[in-house]
Amino acid sequence: MGARSFLIMYALAVAIAFLVSCNDGGGEAFEVEQPLAGGATTVFDRSSNAFTLPAPNLTESNLDIHLDGDVAFEARFVTAPADVNPGLGPLFNNTSCNGCHIRNGRGMPAAGTGRGGTQLLVRVGMPGAVAGDIETQVGVPGIGGQIRDHAIYGYEPDAVVSIDWVMFEGTYAEGTPYHLRKPVAGLARPGGEPFPPGLLTSLRVPPPVHGLGLLEALEEETILANADSDDRDRDGISGRPNYVWDEAAGEYALGRFGLKANQPNLRQQSAGAYVNDMGVTSPLFPEEDGRSDIDETTLRAAAFYAQTLGVPARVDWADPDVRAGEALFEQIQCAACHVPAMRTGFHELDELSDQTIHAYTDLLLHAMGPGLADGRPDFDATGEEWRTPPLWGLGLTHTVLPGAGLMHDGRARTIEEAILWHGGEAEASREAFRNLPALERERLLAFLRSL
């Protein structure tokens, strides 16, 4: 059975399963209330493949492009010259998109020099960088903005990366202890040369890939409607946009993608990953002589694949404890940043337009306190600010990849730990969670696991 036939049969199977589950749950009211995480792009799968399925509403021709994009996403690059996928390196972190985004989920916070590459990245910058002042946000001489910890034959990597863990202890208000951990990067150059004093480092694990097209389809006004840069409503939560450089347009644009919202669209996000993570040039980021390792068709196919992945449906959404947890999520103001619902606007892909989605993000920057700060500005984002990450699919994190880490650097082993790392604008919500009785904490976690 070919890939297309398999996907059609799969879509029919899950549609039938969904209808059966609706009837089992009590009839029409159950079906009407079902929150569809990705609107018409929602897929009904809670297996380890949940993040890898195409949106079920794709036209036949767009499904063909999606499948081509899947091939591009899984393509493993090798050293040139080669008949298939040449262009790797000379320095790199991984050899394929899929190598970092295993089954399109979150990555693991592990460094190493294995042949398959590493998922954990180290972004670097020079001291003195200032948010909003691009002239000061310069790369490290001879390296740039990212440590490439692998190299092809005949070259040395930028550095060997090691990770140490610093442990912390804490206690809930009712006396239950908890333990947190924080990674600290060690960098050693192959030749032993020192890095500049005060080098800025920022550890990053890959975020999930599903649902990105829907976030691209949100109109700018929709995102800015939740911004409150000066906290005029005095709720302690600001939220502000990051304006970043759009290479193709040659102007600044609203940032949407990346952990600090430093990419304006998925074509640029994909091209940036090709060149920074694999050393593969594209028409957007070509060689000095204008040539590139991949052509525009391949770049667009990879971006199209990310645009058109389906979003997993919630599970147990009607369970009383899950509903109680959802109410707590609103009550302690988690929903102020993790906005439960938005509606997409026009997108060049009809399948992404006019969809009510439940991504649980506002795509804005928030100051998250010194405990999460990396000190490394990125366009308008300060060293304390991070983009609110989407929470859809959160409950599938370890189903898709056991060992995957939450938060920007993978420090949180569980959803509970991730909440306890929140600070800055989210400190009041964290403390409200820490002061909840154990039963209510579990209800809140049950809601988050249902996403």
Side-chain angles (χ1 to χ4, degrees):
M1 180 182 294
R4 165 177 296 283
S5 298
F6 170 79
L7 290 169
I8 292 173
M9 292 298 292
Y10 176 85
L12 289 172
V14 296
I16 292 170
F18 173 56
L19 292 174
V20 170
S21 67
C22 291
N23 290 332
D24 285 349
E28 187 176 353
F30 188 95
E31 185 175 353
V32 171
E33 293 176 6
Q34 166 80 39
L36 297 178
T41 75
T42 303
V43 294
F44 297 89
D45 187 302
R46 301 291 289 187
S47 75
S48 60
N49 291 319
F51 297 162
T52 67
L53 300 172
N57 62 336
L58 292 180
T59 64
E60 186 173 357
S61 59
N62 281 342
L63 180 58
D64 284 339
I65 302 174
H66 176 94
L67 295 176
D68 288 342
D70 193 358
V71 173
F73 205 77
E74 294 185 6
R76 188 174 298 276
F77 286 87
V78 298
T79 307
D83 292 336
V84 179
N85 302 328
L88 179 68
L91 306 187
F92 62 95
N93 297 108
N94 219 308
T95 59
S96 69
C97 304
N98 196 47
C100 286
H101 301 281
I102 296 175
R103 289 191 286 276
N104 296 338
R106 296 176 189 274
M108 295 185 290
T113 56
R115 290 180 58 193
T118 52
Q119 295 182 305
L120 187 72
L121 300 179
V122 185
R123 294 281 169 82
V124 292
M126 294 295 287
V130 176
D133 185 351
I134 305 303
E135 297 298 323
T136 66
Q137 297 176 22
V138 296
V140 177
I143 292 179
Q146 179 171 314
I147 297 292
R148 281 79 51 86
D149 57 354
H150 289 66
I152 65 172
Y153 180 75
Y155 290 81
E156 294 282 1
D158 290 324
V160 174
V161 179
S162 60
I163 300 295
D164 288 324
W165 294 96
V166 180
M167 305 302 293
F168 303 87
E169 295 181 351
T171 308
Y172 286 108
E174 38 79 10
T176 301
Y178 59 78
H179 302 274
L180 304 176
R181 64 175 191 171
K182 176 181 179 180
V184 178
L187 302 177
R189 279 180 158 171
E193 314 94 286
F195 284 99
L199 176 76
L200 302 175
T201 61
S202 181
L203 287 167
R204 312 285 179 89
V205 294
V209 182
H210 63 276
L212 299 184
L214 292 167
L215 301 181
E216 193 173 59
L218 290 170
E219 293 184 346
E220 185 165 340
E221 308 90 75
T222 301
I223 297 171
L224 297 182
N226 291 308
D228 185 17
S229 299
D230 298 322
D231 192 21
R232 291 182 178 179
D233 61 7
R234 301 299 180 193
D235 66 351
I237 298 170
S238 58
R240 66 193 189 97
N242 195 5
Y243 283 98
V244 304
W245 188 249
D246 185 324
E247 290 287 341
E251 61 185 15
Y252 283 93
L254 177 68
R256 297 166 184 258
F257 304 105
L259 295 165
K260 284 183 180 274
N262 66 350
Q263 295 289 354
N265 55 62
L266 290 174
R267 179 174 177 259
Q268 184 166 318
Q269 170 85 350
S270 301
Y274 271 119
V275 72
N276 292 323
D277 302 350
M278 293 180 277
V280 173
T281 53
S282 68
L284 191 58
F285 298 118
E287 307 280 355
E288 290 183 0
D289 61 6
R291 292 182 299 174
S292 62
D293 297 314
I294 60 172
D295 59 17
E296 183 64 24
T297 300
T298 301
L299 174 60
R300 286 197 175 276
F304 192 94
Y305 175 73
Q307 285 175 319
T308 52
L309 285 166
V311 177
R314 284 181 57 185
V315 67
D316 296 334
W317 60 273
D319 181 277
D321 283 338
V322 170
R323 292 207 164 198
E326 187 171 7
L328 285 167
F329 187 80
E330 296 269 356
Q331 180 183 323
I332 66 174
Q333 284 203 303
C334 305
C337 303
H338 293 285
V339 175
M342 286 194 277
R343 189 163 180 81
T344 64
F346 170 78
H347 192 277
E348 61 183 358
L349 294 175
D350 288 343
E351 294 92 331
L352 304 176
S353 300
D354 299 321
Q355 300 295 321
T356 297
I357 62 173
H358 303 275
Y360 292 91
T361 177
D362 58 7
L363 295 184
L364 297 171
L365 300 172
H366 294 271
M368 297 302 291
L372 290 175
D374 65 358
R376 181 177 179 274
D378 202 338
F379 292 100
D380 290 339
T382 70
E384 269 198 22
E385 289 180 317
W386 298 94
R387 186 201 65 162
T388 306
L391 298 183
W392 50 16
L394 179 64
L396 287 164
T397 298
H398 293 134
T399 301
V400 171
L401 184 62
L406 301 172
M407 312 301 285
H408 65 277
D409 53 12
R411 66 180 65 190
R413 292 161 290 192
T414 63
I415 297 172
E416 184 178 355
E417 287 186 16
I419 296 171
L420 292 167
W421 270 112
H422 281 56
E425 296 177 33
E427 183 173 343
S429 296
R430 180 200 68 202
E431 285 302 289
F433 175 75
R434 203 178 64 81
N435 284 287
L436 288 174
L439 177 60
E440 293 196 350
R441 290 202 307 272
E442 180 51 37
R443 285 172 171 161
L444 180 57
L445 294 171
F447 161 67
L448 293 170
R449 289 193 292 268
S450 80
L451 299 179

